[in-house]
Amino acid sequence: MHSIKIDPWSSENLNDYEHIFREFGLEKFPDELSKKLNHILFERNLVIAHRDFQKIMACMEVKKPFINITGIASSGRMHFGHKVDLDLFLFFKSKKAKNYFAICDLDGYCSRADAKVDSLMKAKEFAIENLSHALALGLTQKDVYLQSNKPAKYYSLAFEVSKKITENNYRAIYGDINLGKVSAVLLQMTDILHGQLNEFEGKMPSITGIGLDQDPHARLVRDLSKKSQYDFEVPSFIYFKHQSGLQEGQKMSSSQENTAIFLSDAPEIAAQKISKAFTGGRVGVEEQKKLGGQPEICKVFEFQLFHNENSKEVNEIYSTCKAGNLLCGACKQKLIKWTNDFLIKHQKKLIKAKEKAIEIVETKK
Ligand code: SF4
């Protein structure tokens, strides 16, 4: 069996999911649960695997509290790929979870050695921008926290965590490491576990939605939860597919200006990017009408799949494309309209959200 290295900082496109499930002991997300959970990310099989999700399901069924914890690194602009994390977070929030959304300013500063986040001030600027988007998407001040604003107990836990990870652990999981990445890992572990301290919610199940490339963090934190002096419930995880960029073979990434649509992009910029997107269209109109398109490999369709909540519309795009009754130009126009409507609404909310974000970051509330 060849070995696949999953590295949170430089993941490749992962297609052979079955192989990865086997190698890392992930469980495939059960179809019957995907149908039961009323959200497009589950219904459309974009959540593909889990570790111990049954604990969360059990809580949701009897309305018992559980911790909903995720975060976003303050090291770049937020794009639609990040929105997927927020969508999942908001889904669990709607299930009456105890919510912890981390704005990872310290993590962003520690793990990025490049000039983009060369000071804590710069990390704060990204924190304000990302927090503004999170608030505009529906989170409230109560749901979010800034790592650098956490009380002493959080940092005591980070030190405890640091005693339980050896250099060999780091190298086995992450390969090449540097001190910045080590600090970032400690903070991420602490983010996931600290909600279970008595000073916060106390011991209870927790859920975090991540991409497959983040599994090393999940394995490590689950292991740490068992070794800690505190009595932690082993954290649960669900794994979603990453939305790819608009061009072939690329991730949606903050460092790829042309292949990502940012939540702060002007609608006309988003339209330009979509009009140049890679599609599953055929070489000419006649061939497309004869053979139909290939939505399975199309970035325009993938975008609809991840974000357009109107399943009837998405199904229709799929079936008319396959039947050769929809051409890529018209199909891109549909996505341009959807994206423009979304961005205009979102950016209107952003003005107020930014005032709130500044208040939270500056006054350390
Ligand atoms: Fe993609 Fe739409 Fe073209 Fe089909 S018609 S290949 S979904 S852009």
Side-chain angles (χ1 to χ4, degrees), residues 279-281 288 293-295 298 300-301 317 321 326-328 331:
T279 72
Q288 178 121 346
Q294 304 167 88
C298 175
V300 175
F301 184 72
I317 292 171
C321 165
L326 179 63
L327 297 180
C328 296
C331 190

Side-chain angles (χ1 to χ4, degrees), residues 39 68 70 83-96 99 101 134-140 143:
H39 192 281
N68 178 26
T70 194
K83 177 179 163 286
V84 177
D85 294 78
L86 277 128
D87 290 342
L88 261 185
F89 185 84
L90 285 163
F91 169 74
F92 288 116
K93 180 182 167 173
S94 76
K95 302 295 174 194
K96 307 275 180 250
N99 303 302
F101 189 91
L135 296 172
L137 286 170
L139 270 65
T140 64
D143 305 328

Side-chain angles (χ1 to χ4, degrees), residues 310-326:
N310 185 336
S311 293
K312 198 171 158 233
E313 206 170 283
V314 177
N315 281 337
E316 198 177 302
I317 292 171
Y318 184 86
S319 54
T320 50
C321 165
K322 290 292 275 183
N325 295 330
L326 179 63

Side-chain angles (χ1 to χ4, degrees), residues 274 331-343:
I274 293 168
C331 190
K332 283 180 172 178
Q333 286 308 316
K334 284 179 197 280
L335 182 60
I336 288 172
K337 179 169 179 345
W338 185 92
T339 313
N340 282 2
D341 288 350
F342 180 92
L343 288 173

Side-chain angles (χ1 to χ4, degrees), residues 63-112:
K63 298 196 171 30
K64 249 178 86 183
F66 61 94
I67 292 168
N68 178 26
I69 160 77
T70 194
I72 184 161
S74 294
S75 56
R77 293 165 66 204
M78 262 176 91
H79 50 64
F80 273 84
H82 294 123
K83 177 179 163 286
V84 177
D85 294 78
L86 277 128
D87 290 342
L88 261 185
F89 185 84
L90 285 163
F91 169 74
F92 288 116
K93 180 182 167 173
S94 76
K95 302 295 174 194
K96 307 275 180 250
K98 305 282 183 189
N99 303 302
Y100 287 77
F101 189 91
I103 301 289
C104 306
D105 55 341
L106 295 181
D107 173 345
Y109 174 53
C110 293
S111 60
R112 295 297 298 252

